[in-house]
Amino acid sequence: MAILSQTKLLLTVGSLLSAALANPVAKRSDDDDDNDTPLPVVIWHGLGDNYAAEGLRHVGELAESVNPGTLVYYIKMGDDASSDRSATFFGNLTDHIAKACEDLASHQILSTAPAIDAIGFSQGGQFLRAYVERCNNPPIRNLVTFGSQHNGISEFRDCAATDWLCRGAMALLKGNTWSNFVQSRLVPAQYYRNPEEYDKYLEHSNFLADINNERSVKNPKYKENISRLENLVMYMFEDDTTVVPKETAWFEEVNGTEITPLRARKMYSEDWLGLRALDRKGGLKFRTTPGDHMQLSEKVLTEVFSEFFGPWKKASKQPTTLGGGDL
C-alpha cells in the first residue's frame, strides 16, 4: 500500500518494517556558509511501499514547500515501482545498502552538496542509519526516522489476504528465520531480533546485529559516523500495533513486560554506536507522535522540515542539556 495524502497524511501499514568515512565539516567552505539553498533531502520508504507512491511524493512536495528549492531524492532498489516494492520484501540488505551508497555518491548534484538531510519511514529508517555507518558519502547532517525498527522486531507482520507478495515472504520467514537462505534473501528476517533467541541472532543475523555493533568485535567506523551526525531524531508512534515492539523506534530493549530504555543499556554506556556521544552534544532526540504505525499528520512533517531541514548554515536548535527533554 502506498502513503496516502489526506487531511491526516496516512503513511501506510504497508510501510512497516533505511566511499569512505565522510565528515560534513570537512566538506564545508565559506561559500557553503553564504549559500541559503536548502540541503537536498533523501527519503527511504518502508516495507510494501515504492519510490513512486503518490503519498511519498506528497511528502517530498511538502519538504519543498517548507524549504523552497529543496532537491528531493527517493531511494529505490528497483527500476520501476513494482520491482522496487518487491525489493522491500526480497533481497540481501548488504547489497541494498551498497546500492544506496553507490547511487548517492554518483549522483551529479547530491555528490557535490556539503551534506544532505534524510528521512526514513519504518524500515527505511534503519536502512538510512546503515548508510551513515557504512559509507555516508555524501554525509547526512540530520536523520529523522518514523516508527523504525532500530532494535529489531520480535514478531512478523500480518498481510492482507490478497497481498501475495507479502504472504509469500512471511511464509518463508516463519520457522526458517535463521537459515542462511532466509537471512540472505528475506528483508524483514534481517532485522528480526527476539531476546529469547539472542545467541542465534548474534550468530546468524545478516544485517541488524552488524549495524547495531552487537557482536564482540566492534566496527569503530560505525561509532564514528553516527557521532558525527548533527541530529538523529527518532519518532515512535504512541499506538503502534504493527511494529512489535513499538519501543524499537527508540532503541529500547523489550523482553516480555520488561522495558530497558536506551540510556540504561550496555550499548549506550559502552557507546557501541556513538549514540552516547551524539546525546552528549544534544543531537539524540526521542519523540512521539499520536496514532498507529505510519498514521502521520502533515503538521508533524512540517515541523520536522522546518526544524531540522533547510540551508547548511541554518542555526542548530540543539539543547544544552543531556537529551534535551525529548523523552
Side-chain angles (χ1 to χ4, degrees), residues 45-260:
H45 60 79
L47 185 70
D49 218 336
N50 70 81
Y51 72 91
E54 180 181 354
L56 198 71
R57 296 288 164 161
H58 181 78
V59 173
E61 292 168 1
L62 187 61
E64 202 279 334
S65 69
V66 174
N67 295 297
T70 299
L71 169 68
V72 180
Y73 179 89
Y74 304 90
I75 291 179
K76 60 181 181 179
M77 294 294 113
D79 293 333
D80 55 59
S82 178
S83 61
D84 187 51
R85 182 176 188 268
S86 294
T88 69
F89 291 100
F90 299 99
N92 190 313
L93 287 178
T94 297
D95 296 336
H96 285 190
I97 305 305
K99 175 174 168 45
C101 290
E102 181 180 355
D103 288 350
L104 269 62
S106 62
H107 190 277
Q108 186 175 3
I109 298 176
L110 298 179
S111 61
T112 63
I116 59 177
D117 290 321
I119 183 167
F121 294 116
S122 201
Q123 69 180 20
Q126 64 261 29
F127 297 170
L128 279 167
R129 176 167 61 85
Y131 166 88
V132 172
E133 295 174 16
R134 292 183 174 177
C135 57
N136 207 31
N137 178 34
I140 290 180
R141 174 182 63 172
N142 292 321
L143 172 58
V144 181
T145 66
F146 283 97
S148 296
Q149 299 82 33
H150 288 298
N151 201 54
I153 56 171
S154 59
E155 293 183 14
F156 295 120
R157 60 168 290 181
D158 293 327
C159 304
T162 57
D163 191 344
W164 301 110
L165 184 66
C166 174
R167 292 172 69 86
M170 295 305 128
L172 283 173
L173 289 172
K174 296 174 181 178
N176 300 289
T177 306
W178 302 120
S179 70
N180 290 335
F181 179 88
V182 168
Q183 282 294 316
S184 63
R185 291 171 175 82
L186 277 294
V187 169
Q190 295 169 67
Y191 53 84
Y192 178 75
R193 184 185 182 281
N194 189 335
E196 295 181 359
E197 300 178 277
Y198 190 64
D199 290 341
K200 289 183 178 180
Y201 161 77
L202 288 180
E203 181 179 357
H204 298 291
S205 173
N206 181 58
F207 176 70
L208 192 70
D210 175 69
I211 69 158
N212 282 6
N213 247 352
E214 291 185 80
R215 295 189 171 107
S216 58
V217 178
K218 314 296 182 190
N219 189 325
K221 185 174 81 168
Y222 293 177
K223 175 180 178 178
E224 180 78 10
N225 284 5
I226 291 294
S227 67
R228 288 182 174 183
L229 287 170
E230 189 169 301
N231 291 287
L232 172 58
V233 186
M234 301 181 294
Y235 278 85
M236 176 171 63
F237 291 95
E238 293 177 352
D239 304 310
D240 201 330
T241 59
T242 302
V243 171
V244 180
K246 68 178 183 180
E247 293 83 3
T248 185
W250 284 359
F251 272 105
E252 294 190 345
E253 178 79 279
V254 179
N255 193 347
T257 59
E258 182 180 352
I259 300 176
T260 305

Side-chain angles (χ1 to χ4, degrees), residues 263 279-285 318-326:
R263 292 185 180 121
D279 198 14
R280 287 184 170 180
K281 69 178 186 181
L284 186 63
K285 303 185 186 298
Q318 295 179 355
T320 56
T321 57
L322 179 67
D326 288 302

